[in-house]
Amino acid sequence: MGLGAADPQSANEPAVAAGRPVRLVVTNDLGRGRLGVLFRALLALPFLIWLGIWAIAAFFAAIFNWAIALVLGRPNEGLHRFLARFLRYATHVYAFLNLAAEPFPGIGGRPGYRVDLEIDPPGRQNRWTVAFRLVLAVPALFLAAAIVGRSSSAYDLVNLGRSSAGNGLSLLAVAAVLGWFAALALGRIPRGLRDLVAYALSYGAQLWAYLLILTDRYPSSDPLTAVEPLPTRADPVRVENGDDPRRSRLTVFFRLPLAVPHLVWLSLWGILALFAAIASWFATLATGTSPQRLHGFLAAYLRYQLHVGAFLYLVGNPFPGFTGTEGTYPVELRVAERAPQNRWTVFFRLVLALPALLLAAAYGSLLFVVAVLGWFAALFTGRMPLGLRNAGALALRYTAQLYGYLFLVTESYPYSGPCFEAR
């Protein structure tokens, strides 16, 4: 399914994990007015100004809330409600600004918006984690820089959803820009881009709920539990993740040296894959279907590429084989049989893939941060945190789908957002 297409919401989607104190709920509304899209930044300006004024009061309220929680072991109920309402309103405003929602967000932070935030009432919190909250949040701030952008920094509470080009590409920034062009052309935002923006907003909201002492639950980067609800998809290139999160500390410590032989072999195989893709392009352009042998060869290359990426970035634990054989690794790539392809999309494949390449660069930044944080976590705990593992798997899935599209293994455009895999 292409970047410009969207799935209807399935009535049988799996439910996301319950029990999370901060939940982002998205109403399935993808239609966008082109005029409102064109002037979205200007239309959002009054709400951003009001949010900035509100943030001044929220800053002092957060300090009082921190002090009270440090003394009493739980936040003040009135301050909790005030800060929760502020955070909900910030989510509404940036959902509107970044095209995740269409109606104006209002000014009060009341529940019921198209992209809404639910926050549990205050509960008891460990005083030690309250005292060192800013220090404990440092890893989450690094991850938020890749997902949300510079606005996740602790000194910039107001700009929850804005990214800075000087700090690299964030998922939120790229998804919002691509969504702007798509909505302007189609009058609707693709489902994958809308959900990717929602995923970024969810992580930002979880992070600020943690920093503002609204909850002591550490923000989770798991894309399968960040947004309610998610679609269930059966893409022709999909990833099945049956990995055990336990990690050997020894192989984690030497993960990069262990991956060197695979990286060398992957580079050599990649040269052959490039020539095979060129040959497949000519053949598919002539016949409308890629040759069976080339399809199988390129599918094996994509599978091996995924195995190596999963091992290198700690998404998978076992040392992979060198053949890309299906069913040999717990993080597995399933590639559908070849199918006829439209010759026009084949001819312009590189041009059509440009938006996906831009988004893949942002996913690459996320994957790097996941690997670095996962390396430290697995080295100390012997486990890869589930949220990091699943975020890494999402990035690897998108990359695999992109190469599948570029190499003419499939005509299906890479799906940009988190989803459940149909079994």
Side-chain angles (χ1 to χ4, degrees), residues 354-385:
L354 289 178
L357 287 167
L358 185 62
L359 189 56
Y363 267 123
S365 299
L366 171 63
L367 193 58
F368 176 78
V369 177
V370 162
V372 172
L373 296 180
W375 187 85
F376 283 103
L379 200 61
F380 282 97
T381 67
R383 297 179 66 87
M384 180 70 168

Side-chain angles (χ1 to χ4, degrees), residues 71-346:
V71 173
L72 302 180
R74 61 182 300 134
N76 176 268
E77 188 169 347
L79 291 175
H80 178 93
R81 285 197 303 268
F82 175 79
L83 291 170
R85 193 159 185 172
F86 166 73
L87 187 55
R88 186 184 302 114
Y89 180 64
T91 302
H92 294 175
V93 170
Y94 285 104
F96 175 73
L97 176 62
N98 292 291
L99 295 168
E102 174 67 6
F104 287 112
I107 61 172
R110 295 181 178 85
Y113 192 58
R114 294 284 189 180
V115 177
D116 206 9
L117 193 66
E118 298 177 351
I119 301 177
D120 283 351
R124 296 202 63 82
Q125 299 192 31
N126 186 295
R127 291 183 176 88
W128 284 107
T129 65
V130 171
F132 294 100
R133 187 60 53 97
L134 280 176
V135 177
L136 294 172
V138 168
L141 288 166
F142 277 110
L143 190 57
I147 298 175
V148 183
R150 181 188 173 191
S151 55
S152 305
S153 302
Y155 60 78
D156 196 357
L157 176 61
V158 180
N159 298 320
L160 181 64
R162 193 178 63 192
S163 180
S164 170
N167 287 280
L169 296 174
S170 72
L171 285 176
L172 177 61
V174 177
V177 170
L178 295 180
W180 186 86
F181 282 104
L184 203 59
L186 304 171
R188 59 190 289 112
I189 187 169
R191 174 68 189 267
L193 290 176
R194 196 280 307 271
D195 285 354
L196 187 56
V197 170
Y199 168 54
L201 293 175
S202 173
Y203 190 77
Q206 291 180 69
L207 172 60
W208 282 111
Y210 184 71
L211 286 170
L212 297 174
I213 321 294
L214 297 176
T215 176
D216 63 351
R217 181 77 63 87
Y218 206 80
S220 171
S221 59
D222 190 345
L224 299 181
T225 61
V227 181
E228 300 180 7
L230 287 178
T232 299
R233 296 176 57 89
D235 293 298
V237 175
R238 69 184 193 277
V239 172
E240 294 181 359
N241 191 355
D243 172 69
D244 187 332
R246 291 176 294 182
R247 297 288 182 267
S248 164
R249 291 180 173 87
L250 187 62
T251 61
V252 166
F253 187 79
F254 294 104
R255 185 59 56 106
L256 185 57
L258 289 171
V260 168
H262 282 291
L263 294 174
V264 173
W265 176 233
L266 185 65
S267 299
L268 296 174
W269 195 345
I271 297 172
L272 295 176
L274 178 61
F275 286 107
I278 294 172
S280 182
W281 184 83
F282 281 105
T284 307
L285 197 60
T287 66
T289 306
S290 62
Q292 180 62 49
R293 289 182 180 275
L294 291 177
H295 177 87
F297 176 79
L298 290 169
Y301 170 73
L302 294 179
R303 193 175 299 112
Y304 177 62
Q305 185 183 56
L306 177 76
H307 294 174
V308 174
F311 177 73
L312 176 63
Y313 293 106
L314 294 166
V315 176
N317 188 51
F319 191 80
F322 287 84
T323 60
T325 305
E326 187 172 359
T328 60
Y329 204 71
V331 184
E332 190 58 273
L333 189 71
R334 304 297 182 185
V335 180
E337 295 296 326
R338 63 185 183 137
Q341 300 190 35
N342 185 296
R343 289 182 176 89
W344 284 108
T345 65
V346 171

Side-chain angles (χ1 to χ4, degrees), residues 406-418:
L406 280 172
F407 287 176
L408 300 166
V409 173
T410 176
E411 190 180 32
S412 181
Y413 208 83
Y415 184 72
S416 50

Side-chain angles (χ1 to χ4, degrees), residues 380-398:
F380 282 97
T381 67
R383 297 179 66 87
M384 180 70 168
L386 190 62
L388 290 178
R389 189 201 69 172
N390 288 348
L394 171 62
L396 289 173
R397 188 212 75 197
Y398 188 79

Side-chain angles (χ1 to χ4, degrees), residues 35-49 93 96-99 104 180:
L35 192 61
V37 170
L38 183 63
F39 297 103
R40 184 55 58 101
L42 186 62
L43 293 172
L45 187 58
F47 301 101
L48 292 169
I49 293 173
V93 170
F96 175 73
L97 176 62
N98 292 291
L99 295 168
F104 287 112
W180 186 86

